[in-house]
Amino acid sequence: MANAEPKQKLGLWTSTSLVIGNMIGAGVFLLPAAMASYGSIGLLGWLFAGIGSFFLAKVFSNLSKLMPDATGGPYAFSQRGLGDFAGFLVSWGYYISNAGGNAAITISFISAMSTFFPILATSKFVASATGFTAVWLLAYINTLGVVTSGKLQLVTTVLKIAPLVLVAFGGLFFIHLSNFHPFNSSGTSVFAAISTTAALTMFSYFGIECASIPAGDVANPEKTIARATMLGLLITAFIYILGSASVMGMIPAKTLEHSLTPYADAAAIIYGPNARYWISAGMAIAAFGCLNGWTLVQGQVPYATAKDKLFPAVFGYVNKRGVPWVGIMGNAVLISLFILMNYSKGLVDMFKFLLLFSTLTSLVPFLFSVAAYPIIRAKKKLSHGWTGALVITFFAFVYTLWAIAGTGQDAVFYGFMFMMTGLPLYMWLVYKRDKDLEKT
């Protein structure tokens, strides 16, 4: 294990960019088309998902105040409140499922880059090589230190939200109110339509917990993490809702639902046909920045778990800059394997399966963290603020359960079965830990 050099710390804006950058990926550029068939009621879907995410953000914000130095975020909260097994399940599922999600982000990056390099759309070899280059470059950058990767995250976050903001505000001058009619074209009730569209959008709020994960590398974490979490959510939700409203107001629903590039189409209306290229560039940067942020996270969660002897000890190793490099490199290996699956005809179904289970295992850390919140408050013997804490817990818990139900039966089943595959590893690690304690 290398001796770590003194670390620089992440500040408010870098921590906020980690939240925004990990939430805003390339997928948001396509969502207006996916929601067009439901009518303008889809804007309420965005709003309701944002409200639900607010309660989650408030839970993570409050937990970061109760446990300001808890590196690992959802893992640390779950382990402290619900015990070792819950903490292990969060870390096990989080690490593998995020690697699958990172592979999808990498493929989105390749797709966006194909606008400028058409060979990426026709050559599997070139596409795979490009993906590998992006993955391993970011793995290397993240081993240089959390501040280095944080600075890259800040830059890519600014660059990725620029085209979204330009369309969101510029589109206000091109809106035709008739495009918002009919309000509900889903063929179902208002409640059902809102539920469906909120389910479509809730995945765009994943990453809300990310400011809490590198807690040990954050300056003044008790205040910074809480502020970054809430600020990141508010900025992201504002961009999502205003951008979707502008796109839906500019492009008729029947046209929009068949669009493969809704933001690019909207930008072309506002700024001319060449604007399509900077929207594609924005998508590529969004994916690249999102991948960078999740790569940082993938080193921190297993590191915190390994320090508690609930993950193989090798994940606790750090380099001379204090970076838990094993988790980062392991993440790069897994992503590379998943990319190969995606570009191999016989393994495409396996890749889709991996994404399916990753949906549930991304929500379990939310559920466990919310459940742990009142327990941690009780353990700290806090006597004030219980009414507000229980209200926040209730709404965050119900929202997360609803989100899990919205993933579908297959996602729940396969996600649960996958998480249970970690049981033998957990039993061995606990046995080994107990033996080590007996020796001492």
Side-chain angles (χ1 to χ4, degrees):
M1 185 184 299
N3 292 323
E5 295 176 348
K7 295 180 183 178
Q8 292 179 284
K9 300 284 187 175
L10 299 176
L12 175 62
W13 287 110
T14 309
S15 297
T16 302
S17 73
L18 184 62
V19 176
I20 298 173
N22 283 17
M23 289 171 70
I24 299 179
V28 69
F29 287 83
L30 306 175
L31 266 176
M35 299 178 66
S37 61
Y38 296 94
S40 55
I41 197 172
L43 295 175
L44 291 182
W46 273 115
L47 181 61
F48 273 76
I51 292 171
S53 297
F54 167 81
F55 288 109
L56 279 174
K58 194 63 178 173
V59 167
F60 282 112
S61 177
N62 290 351
L63 281 169
S64 69
K65 294 176 183 177
L66 295 174
M67 299 172 57
D69 298 315
T71 297
Y75 157 74
F77 304 144
S78 300
Q79 191 273 338
R80 181 73 63 86
L82 303 177
D84 287 347
F85 185 52
F88 170 81
L89 284 179
V90 166
S91 191
W92 169 250
Y94 204 74
Y95 188 70
I96 306 299
S97 67
N98 280 350
N102 287 347
I105 293 169
T106 306
I107 291 163
S108 296
F109 169 72
I110 296 167
S111 176
M113 290 297 291
S114 67
T115 299
F116 307 97
F117 306 100
I119 192 174
L120 292 174
T122 58
S123 172
K124 292 181 180 179
F125 174 79
V126 176
S128 298
T130 302
F132 295 154
T133 301
V135 168
W136 287 96
L137 173 62
L138 288 175
Y140 169 71
I141 289 172
N142 274 269
T143 63
L144 298 178
V146 68
V147 172
T148 300
S149 55
K151 288 178 179 177
L152 175 62
Q153 187 72 356
L154 182 58
V155 171
T156 56
T157 298
V158 172
L159 291 176
K160 79 164 71 174
I161 67 175
L164 293 171
V165 169
L166 286 172
V167 170
F169 282 99
L172 296 176
F173 300 97
F174 294 84
I175 285 177
H176 297 284
L177 294 180
S178 59
N179 289 334
F180 290 114
H181 298 286
F183 174 65
N184 179 12
S185 56
S186 66
T188 61
S189 67
V190 169
F191 176 79
I194 292 175
S195 296
T196 303
T197 53
L200 283 172
T201 59
M202 67 184 176
F203 301 110
S204 297
Y205 291 101
F206 280 7
I208 200 170
E209 75 283 10
C210 286
S212 67
I213 291 175
D217 296 300
V218 175
N220 194 11
E222 185 172 353
K223 293 182 179 179
T224 301
I225 294 173
R227 291 173 179 173
T229 300
M230 299 306 299
L231 187 59
L233 171 65
L234 292 174
I235 292 173
T236 304
F238 178 76
I239 291 172
Y240 283 163
I241 295 171
L242 186 61
S244 294
S246 291
V247 172
M248 294 175 71
M250 280 188 285
I251 304 173
K254 290 297 182 183
T255 303
L256 184 59
E257 66 181 281
H258 297 292
S259 173
L260 299 177
T261 53
Y263 267 90
D265 293 344
I269 294 172
I270 304 169
Y271 302 105
N274 289 332
R276 294 179 182 276
Y277 291 99
W278 51 261
I279 287 292
S280 294
M283 290 179 64
I285 294 169
F288 191 77
C290 195
L291 181 60
N292 174 66
W294 285 109
T295 299
L296 185 154
V297 165
Q298 285 290 74
Q300 296 289 333
V301 173
Y303 167 75
T305 317
K307 299 304 287 183
D308 291 333
K309 298 185 178 180
L310 293 174
F311 233 53
V314 67
F315 285 94
Y317 292 178
V318 297
N319 63 18
K320 64 181 182 180
R321 296 180 177 87
V323 177
W325 61 274
V326 175
I328 291 172
M329 291 303 172
N331 174 64
V333 171
L334 285 174
I335 297 174
S336 299
L337 291 174
F338 293 158
I339 290 173
L340 285 176
M341 287 182 182
N342 184 70
Y343 286 110
S344 299
K345 186 176 180 181
L347 295 174
V348 169
D349 288 340
M350 177 60 72
F351 180 73
K352 291 179 180 178
F353 163 76
L354 291 168
L355 290 182
L356 185 64
F357 85 73
S358 73
T359 302
L360 176 73
T361 48
S362 296
L363 287 167
V364 167
F366 292 173
L367 192 68
F368 283 9
S369 296
V370 172
Y373 174 45
I375 297 173
I376 292 172
R377 282 184 57 92
K379 286 183 176 180
K380 288 186 172 288
K381 299 180 180 179
L382 298 178
S383 58
H384 61 282
W386 273 102
T387 300
L390 292 176
V391 168
I392 292 168
T393 299
F394 173 78
F395 283 108
F397 194 83
V398 169
Y399 172 72
T400 307
L401 279 180
W402 173 73
I404 288 174
T407 64
Q409 181 177 336
D410 288 345
V412 172
F413 175 77
Y414 288 118
F416 176 78
M417 293 302 292
F418 169 77
M419 294 188 76
M420 288 301 102
T421 62
L423 185 59
L425 175 61
Y426 171 76
M427 295 175 67
W428 178 76
L429 288 167
V430 171
Y431 171 79
K432 186 174 181 295
R433 184 178 66 175
D434 291 345
K435 283 295 184 183
D436 290 341
L437 287 175
E438 289 177 6
K439 291 178 183 179
T440 57

